[in-house]
Amino acid sequence: MGSKKKDKEQKKKKTKKPSKKRMNKWLRAGLSGLAGAVAVTAVHETVRRFYPNAPRMDILGMRAISKGLHYAGKTPPTEERLHTWSLVGDIVSNGLYYSLTGSKKNALWRGSILGAVAGIGGVVLPGPMGLGTAPSNRTRETQALTIAYYLMAGVVAGAVGRWLRKVKV
């Protein structure tokens, strides 16, 4: 009996390791959205350099920025600078959009649905918005690639969200 009491006392004396907590849900959502946004932008920028029928979402972004600046009475910057603004705008806006996937158990499904909707929107909406249709709607192949890119980004965002759910800091 004396030895059991001693064991209990020794266990109490041991210092406990600091407990690790889960990452804040907003941070997890933001990081997963950023991962999806970086993925889709990286794929766009890489494939467009090697494949002539690749979607040119960067051009749509440049047109949208130019149009907005014209409405504000400002002169758009040079094409190179406008391209940089477009890429930054894509990452920010897509990051916010894909952060809606969250990090719950259904994040992969939510990301897939959000990605498919974004891809379809990328094909259908530029024309009615006055941005032209050629960058994402040139051929059936361009349309399919546009949808596939955004779907892939949604899957990446969902997968990262689910993974971050398990990460403890």
Side-chain angles (χ1 to χ4, degrees), residues 39-143:
V40 73
T41 303
V43 168
H44 273 132
E45 285 300 300
T46 302
V47 175
R48 79 170 178 85
R49 296 172 194 271
F50 302 106
Y51 190 63
N53 283 339
R56 293 299 306 269
M57 305 313 276
D58 56 319
I59 291 175
L60 290 176
M62 291 167 61
R63 289 178 183 172
I65 292 168
S66 290
K67 201 173 192 180
L69 288 173
H70 279 298
Y71 281 131
K74 304 287 182 184
T75 306
T78 63
E79 189 170 329
E80 186 177 313
R81 187 171 219 164
L82 197 57
H83 187 261
T84 302
W85 286 14
S86 171
L87 293 180
V88 170
D90 283 346
I91 290 173
V92 170
S93 61
N94 286 329
L96 290 170
Y97 179 75
Y98 285 116
S99 70
L100 296 174
T101 60
S103 60
K104 295 184 179 179
K105 287 183 181 179
N106 65 352
L108 205 51
W109 285 106
R110 287 180 81 171
S112 299
I113 292 167
L114 286 168
V117 169
I120 293 167
V123 171
V124 173
L125 294 176
M129 292 173 67
L131 301 175
T133 57
S136 64
N137 209 358
R138 210 169 29 256
T139 65
R140 292 278 183 208
E141 189 176 20
T142 306
Q143 294 170 348

Side-chain angles (χ1 to χ4, degrees), residues 5 11 14 17 37 40 42 53 122 144 148 156-157:
K5 193 174 183 181
K11 286 182 182 178
K14 288 183 181 178
K17 292 181 183 177
V40 73
N53 283 339
V156 166

